Amino acid sequence: VLGRAGKTNYGILAAYDEHSTILLPFEDRSYVTVNGESSNVFGRVRTDFGEGTHLGFVGTDRRYDGGGSGSVIGVDGRLRLDRNYQIEAQYLHGFTTEPDDTTLTDGINGETFDGGKHTADFDGETFDGGAIYASLERNGRHWGFDLDYWDVAPTFRAENGFEVRNSFREGIAQSTYLFRFEDSTWMEWLQPGVRGSRRWNYEGIRKDTVLQAWLEGRFRFAQTSFHGSYVADEERFREVDYTNLYRWHMCFNSRPSDLIVFGANANYGRRIYYSGQAYGMQEDYGLWFDLKPIDRLLLETQFSWSRSEDEDTGEIFFDSYVMRTKLGLQITREFSARIIVQYNGFYDTWEGDPLLQYQINPFSIFYVGSTRDYAQITLDPASQQEWRLTHRQYFLKLQYLFRI
């Protein structure tokens, strides 16, 4: 249900989930498990007080049929100080009652968090915690900056959200300056920027420090944009300090015509191989293009390759690629179809996801689709591997706007 009364917008969503995915955030990792059925409710209210200023409230609740729950309430707002300056802030508080079923947490049973006060096991514990975000921003014609502060308690969880990490306090400062070339025949603008951040855990131990500098710009020819950056950082992961980390990055995209848009990216640096807790010299490359041979047909293709090797021995940690293609057809103004095909070389799996959609307007829509995953499986010890369907899911959505 969506509605508007004057300057206040509100929305309520209720859902019943037969297979409830649970994302558990911790200081250095996250853990995903699947519980049974759950009832879910989401609510949001926001009131606007003028251009760029608002106050909002949010609430979510999830109740598992077999016991356990997670709820979050929060308030957020933005205050526009003048043309260039604004303040943003949000506070959330989560309340968690774990399911009493340790089989759901087989991979992390025995671990603890919040200084040993709680176990990672699903053993029916009850706890709560808060999360804070605050920001001061300047958005001028040329100069801009952003000062952010994040504070997430080790006991904060969002059952209906996507929190992959907690137990940290972080400060971030960023500044950019935009140079415009209105009289140039080949360059539109250039923007250098710098960014620094530092993160601590709730025990006051420094977890990472990041310094970054970049330059980006746009040429007038073929709407070509580029971005280049250098990152120097250090990180403490699972009681080990990793220093002298760095990464070079370069990317561009270009639109020579309505027929094709393309781009590429490259990264190289000394990074952490987290699975083996070692230093890895890592390189990543990507290439993508969008092809539109006719007005109603769009083909989007992406290719990304990544490799990491031990800086001392040359041992290969990983070396593989992912290919993804999306084909979309706008049959009529309202009716469209698309299919996504992806191959993941890291896991040697294929995925095919078709979708049919009928959209009257942004608030009135119907679609039906499916997901299909394929992998090579050995049916018996004497046979060779065969490509087989390993997972299939169907879904549909109906949403309609009633004007009252």
Side-chain angles (χ1 to χ4, degrees), residues 28-70:
D28 284 324
R29 62 175 294 188
S30 57
Y31 183 79
V32 178
T33 187
V34 178
N35 199 357
E37 300 172 332
S38 67
S39 300
N40 304 266
V41 179
F42 313 80
R44 169 71 171 164
V45 178
R46 170 175 152 166
T47 299
D48 295 320
F49 296 96
E51 184 178 354
T53 298
H54 72 262
L55 179 66
F57 300 90
V58 65
T60 70
D61 184 70
R62 172 185 272 188
R63 303 280 160 170
Y64 301 106
D65 287 5
S69 64

Side-chain angles (χ1 to χ4, degrees), residues 329-380:
L329 176 63
Q330 193 70 39
I331 302 170
T332 67
R333 188 177 69 87
E334 297 86 3
F335 186 45
S336 64
R338 70 108 171 105
I339 183 170
I340 297 174
V341 178
Q342 176 175 287
Y343 174 73
N344 189 324
F346 291 93
Y347 300 101
D348 195 21
T349 58
W350 282 93
E351 178 180 340
D353 305 328
L355 179 76
L356 295 175
Q357 176 177 294
Y358 190 85
Q359 181 172 334
I360 302 173
N361 56 57
F363 299 100
S364 299
I365 183 173
F366 170 77
Y367 62 71
V368 59
S370 71
T371 62
R372 297 166 179 264
D373 300 332
Y374 298 85
Q376 293 197 66
I377 297 176
T378 302
L379 299 180
D380 61 76

Side-chain angles (χ1 to χ4, degrees), residues 114-268:
D114 193 15
K117 297 177 183 177
H118 303 283
T119 64
D121 314 34
F122 270 178
D123 50 11
E125 285 185 293
T126 297
F127 48 84
D128 65 279
I132 299 171
Y133 161 73
S135 174
L136 172 63
E137 301 176 9
R138 185 186 195 278
N139 298 296
R141 175 173 171 77
H142 295 284
W143 177 47
F145 70 77
D146 187 359
L147 302 176
D148 293 345
Y149 175 72
W150 298 82
D151 189 323
V152 182
T155 50
F156 176 77
R157 292 181 181 176
E159 296 286 329
N160 293 114
F162 189 76
E163 295 291 333
V164 298
R165 175 186 293 164
N166 60 17
S167 188
F168 71 89
R169 296 183 173 100
E170 183 175 21
I172 305 171
Q174 174 178 307
S175 182
T176 59
Y177 195 90
L178 180 64
F179 296 91
R180 301 178 186 272
F181 303 96
E182 297 177 355
D183 297 328
S184 174
T185 58
W186 60 280
M187 175 66 71
E188 287 190 37
W189 54 266
L190 281 174
Q191 185 178 62
V194 292
R195 184 179 189 269
S197 67
R198 179 161 287 180
R199 179 167 53 91
W200 300 263
N201 66 9
Y202 256 57
E203 297 175 355
I205 299 174
R206 190 170 65 192
K207 298 294 292 185
D208 70 28
T209 301
V210 181
L211 296 175
Q212 180 180 9
W214 67 86
L215 176 68
E216 56 189 3
R218 180 165 175 166
F219 300 102
R220 296 190 184 279
F221 171 74
Q223 301 180 41
T224 301
S225 301
F226 71 90
H227 175 94
S229 67
Y230 176 77
V231 177
D233 57 323
E234 56 185 37
E235 181 177 345
R236 183 176 179 83
F237 178 72
R238 294 190 176 178
E239 311 305 322
V240 177
D241 291 317
Y242 296 89
T243 60
N244 299 320
L245 302 171
Y246 65 89
R247 180 178 67 246
W248 291 95
H249 166 80
M250 186 68 191
C251 65
F252 81 93
N253 63 78
S254 184
R255 187 186 189 97
S257 71
D258 292 336
L259 174 65
I260 186 170
V261 183
F262 64 92
N265 66 274
N267 301 294
Y268 178 78

